[in-house]
Amino acid sequence: MRFDWLYRESGRIAELFLWHLGLSVIPVVIGLLLALPLGWLAQRAGFFRSTLLGAAGLLYTIPSLALFVLLPLVLGTRILDPMNVVVALTVYALALLVRTVSDGLESVPPDVIQAANAMGYRRLPRLFVVELPLAVPVIAAGLRVAVVSNVSIVSVAALIGTPQLGLLFTQGLQLRFLTPIIAGIVLCVLLAALLDGLVLFAAKRMTPWQPGGAER
Amino acid sequence: MIAWFSDPTHWTGSDGVFALVIQHLIYSGVALFFACLIGLPIGLYVGHTGRGVVLIAGLANALRSLPSLGLIVLLVILFGPVFTSDMAFIVPSIIVLVLLAVPPIMSGTYAGVAAVDPAAVDAARGMGKRPLDILFDVELPCALPLIFSGLRSATLQIISTATIAAYVSLGGLGRLIIDGRAQNDYYQMAAGAVLVGALALLVDLAIGILSRLTVSPGLTRRL
Amino acid sequence: MAFSILKAAGAFALMALSATTTLAQTDPLGAAPAARTDKTTIIVGSADFPESQLLATIYAKALAAKGIKTDTKLNIGSREVYMPALLDGSIDLLPEYAGATLSYLDKNATAHSPEDVAKALKAALPAGVSMLTPSQAQDSDGVAVTRATAEKYKLKTIADLAPVASQLVLGGPPEWKTRKEGIIGLKELYGLEFKSFKSLDVGGPLTLSALVNDQVQAANLFSTDPAIADNKLVILEDVKNLFPAQNIVPVIAKAKVSDVVTKTLDAVSAALTTEDLIVMNGRLANHDSFDVVAGEWLAKHKLN
C-alpha cells in the first residue's frame, strides 16, 4: 500500500466515493417507491401476481453490463450518461423489491387484519397504519440485499466510463498498481456495510415491538 | 442491429458468436462446478448439524458486497506473473466467479436442509436409517427445490460476471461489448448485450426444467 | 411457473424488438448536438492510457497558469470514442498523435514523415476542429517481441515475421481489429496473417504480461514505454512505414482557439521531447500522480 498516494489522491477518491454513494442509494429509493404500489397489487391480485413476479425475476437475469449498454436504446440517452446506470440499478432494485413487498404484506397475520377491520379501518388507512408497518421487517431484509448488491454492481459501470469507485479498479490495472484497487475494494465493502447498517437501524426504529430488531 | 446479426461473418470464426457463446458456457460451467464442489458439502453439513449457521450467513453477506470488477483486477495483477499461458487471465477470473457463486449455493443448500420437515427425518430415523443415509435419502431430496433456487441465482451471477471478465482479455460474449466500445461500434455492443441476456434466460429456463424433472412430485404436490 | 417465464420471455422479446426499431434512428455512440452552455471553460480530454492523461494534465495546468478556466475529462477511451466527443462539444482539447489521428480521419492517407503527416492532418481535420503546432516529441506504435522470440526466428523488422506469423498470436488493443495501423495494415502492407488476435489493452500491463508470459508472441507497444527496455523487448523495425510519424499535437475546437491558448500550448509543444516522455512514463509507472509529474515538468520549463 502506498499511503502517500492515497493521501495525494484523497480529494478525487472522496469525489468518486460520493458518486458511488449516490449511484447506490438513489436507485434503491426510487425502486422502493415504485415497488410499494406494485408489490401491493401483486399481493392482492392472484393472476397479476405470477405475471408481475415472473417479469421481475426476468429483469433480474439480465447481466448488468448488458443492461447498461442496452438502456441508451430504450431511453435515447448517450452512452456516457450516468442516467443509464441509475435506471439500470433502479430496474434491479425494483425487480427485487416487488417480490419482497408482496412477501412482506403476505406475512401480516390474517387475524391482525381482521382485528383492524373490526376496529373500523378502511382499506387504505389499514394498509398504511397496520399492514405496512408490520411488513417492515421483511421489506427491510429485501432492502438490505438490494442496497448491498447495488454497491457492488455500481462498480461495473467503470467499464462504460461512469465516475465512481470502479474507476480506481480500471486505473489500478492500467498502472499495474494495487493501492487504488485495494482502496476501491475496501471503500466498496465499507459503503455496503454502512448502508446495510443504516437500513437495519431504521427498520429497528420503525418496529419497536420486535424483541431482536428487524432480523427475522 | 438486425444488419449486425444477419452478417454471417459475425457468427463464425475464432471470434464469431458461436465461439464466444461456447467460451462463455465453458467458463461458466467450470466456475459452477467448483462452486458446487465447495458450496454443496458446506451447506449440507451446516443444514444437517445446525452448526455454523451464523458464520455462513455472515460470510454470504460479506461476499455479496465485494465488487467483482475490483476482485478480478486485483487477482489478475497478483496472479498474472505466476502463470505463463492464458491461465494468467483465466484463473483469476474463474476464482472470482467461484467466489460469487458459492454463497447462494451454500445458503440455498443450508436453507433447504434446515427446512426439511422434522417429522420426515424422525420417521426415517425410526425406520433405522443411519445419519448419512438420512442425509442422502431424505434430507437431500427434500431440500432440492431450495438447492435449485440457490443454483439458479449462482448461475445468473456467473453468466453476468463472466461478461465483465472480457475487460481483462477473457473470451466470451463480453468481448463484443468491450471491443465494441473500443471500436465505437454500438451495434456490436448492443448485439453482445442482447446475446448475454438471451443466454442467461435460456440457461435459467434449462435449470427450471431440470429442477422440474428431478424434484420429487410429492414435494411440489404435482401428484 | 414455466408459463410465467414464457410470458416474461415474450415481454423481453418485445422490448428487444422495440429497441431495434429505435436504433434505426439513433446511435448512442454517434455525434449529438452540443448541449454545453458554458462558453469560456476549456475541457481537456484524454485517451485511456497514462501518457495521454499526463499530456492532458500538462495542457490543463499550462492553460490554467495563464488564467484560462479549464476542466479535465481524462480516461475517456479510444480515439473511436473521444473523437466523437470532441466533435459534439463534450470536450474541447486533446493531446493527439498526428499519424494515428490522420489515418483515423483519412483511411487512405499515405503520409509518413512528420512534415507530410502534419500537412495532411491539417487538411483532413473536420470543420470546427483545428490543430496547433506539433511537438518534436514522438510516441510511435510498434510491434514488439521478446528477445527470445527475436533470436529464435531471427527477427529484425516487421517484414521478417512473414514466414512465421501463422504460428504466432498477435496481441493489441481491441480497436486494432478494425484499424489500418493494426491487423488490417499488417495484412495489406506486410502480408502478415497471424494465428489469432488477442484483445488486450492499449500498450498497458495486460499487453506487457501477455507478451512476457508468452500468451502472445507479438504485441502492440509504444516507443516511449520504459517497460520495453526493462523487460528486454525488441521493437521490430517498420520498414514499409505502416505506422506514420506520431508527433504529439494539441487538437482543439476552433471556437476555443485564442492567442493566449495558441501561445501557451505551442510553448508546451516546443519544450516537450521524446526523452521527457520516456522519463515521465517511468515515473507514472512508479505511481507518481499525473498532477505531480505534470507540475514538475512545467516548473522545469518555466511554463507554470
Side-chain angles (χ1 to χ4, degrees), chain B residues 84 169 179 181-184 205, chain C residues 76 78 80 174 177 199 213:
Chain B
T84 55
S169 90
D179 291 2
R181 172 160 155 77
Q183 296 161 6
N184 203 39
L205 203 63
Chain C
I76 295 177
S78 63
E80 285 80 348
K177 279 192 210 169
S199 289
N213 287 348

Side-chain angles (χ1 to χ4, degrees), chain B residues 18-176:
Chain B
F18 290 124
L20 295 179
V21 168
I22 289 175
Q23 283 172 346
H24 209 110
L25 286 175
I26 291 177
Y27 299 143
S28 308
V30 170
L32 191 64
F33 173 77
F34 283 109
C36 287
L37 216 58
I38 300 171
L40 279 178
I42 298 182
L44 285 177
Y45 175 80
V46 174
H48 185 70
T49 60
R51 268 179 263 171
V53 179
V54 183
L55 189 71
I56 67 164
L59 197 67
N61 243 338
L63 283 175
R64 190 182 290 130
S65 70
L66 281 177
S68 42
L69 181 66
L71 278 189
I72 291 181
V73 171
L74 179 73
L75 293 182
V76 161
I77 294 186
L78 286 181
F79 287 175
V82 179
F83 299 93
T84 55
S85 65
D86 278 353
M87 285 298 148
F89 300 147
I90 294 179
V91 170
S93 306
I94 299 268
I95 291 179
V96 173
L97 295 182
V98 172
L99 271 182
L100 289 176
V102 165
I105 294 179
M106 196 166 70
S107 346
T109 311
Y110 150 72
V113 174
V116 172
D117 189 350
V121 178
D122 277 349
R125 195 169 290 129
M127 287 162 68
K129 280 191 183 270
R130 292 157 196 284
L132 265 189
D133 292 334
I134 295 181
L135 181 63
F136 287 107
D137 295 347
V138 181
E139 291 181 313
L140 186 62
C142 289
L144 271 184
L146 280 177
I147 294 180
F148 268 113
S149 102
L151 211 57
R152 223 160 152 161
S153 36
T155 312
L156 292 179
Q157 273 273 21
I158 289 180
I159 290 182
S160 170
T161 309
T163 325
I164 302 167
Y167 178 65
V168 291
S169 90
L170 220 63
L173 290 169
R175 275 264 62 83
L176 296 174

Side-chain angles (χ1 to χ4, degrees), chain C residues 6-7 42 57 59 62 68 127-128 143 192 219 231 239 251 263 304:
Chain C
L6 280 181
K7 243 191 298 188
I42 294 187
T57 312
Y59 288 178
I68 296 166
V143 177
L192 298 181
N231 291 281
V239 283
V251 172
K263 238 191 205 151
N304 59 340

Side-chain angles (χ1 to χ4, degrees), chain C residues 39-43 63 68 86 91-94 122 125-133 250-266:
Chain C
K39 294 271 186 274
T40 52
T41 306
I42 294 187
I43 300 183
L63 290 173
I68 296 166
L86 177 66
I91 52 175
D92 305 313
L93 171 66
L94 278 166
K122 205 161 234 162
L125 281 173
V129 175
S130 63
M131 58 179 259
L132 305 178
T133 317
V251 172
I252 185 168
K254 263 200 187 112
K256 302 287 173 149
V257 182
S258 69
D259 279 351
V260 191
V261 171
T262 311
K263 238 191 205 151
T264 311
L265 294 179
D266 280 357

Side-chain angles (χ1 to χ4, degrees), chain A residues 58 61 63 69 152 159 170 181, chain B residues 66 73 156 167 181 186 196 201:
Chain A
L58 189 93
T61 60
V69 168
S152 165
L159 299 185
T170 50
I181 301 177
Chain B
L66 281 177
V73 171
L156 292 179
Y167 178 65
R181 172 160 155 77
Y186 187 78
V196 179
L201 272 183

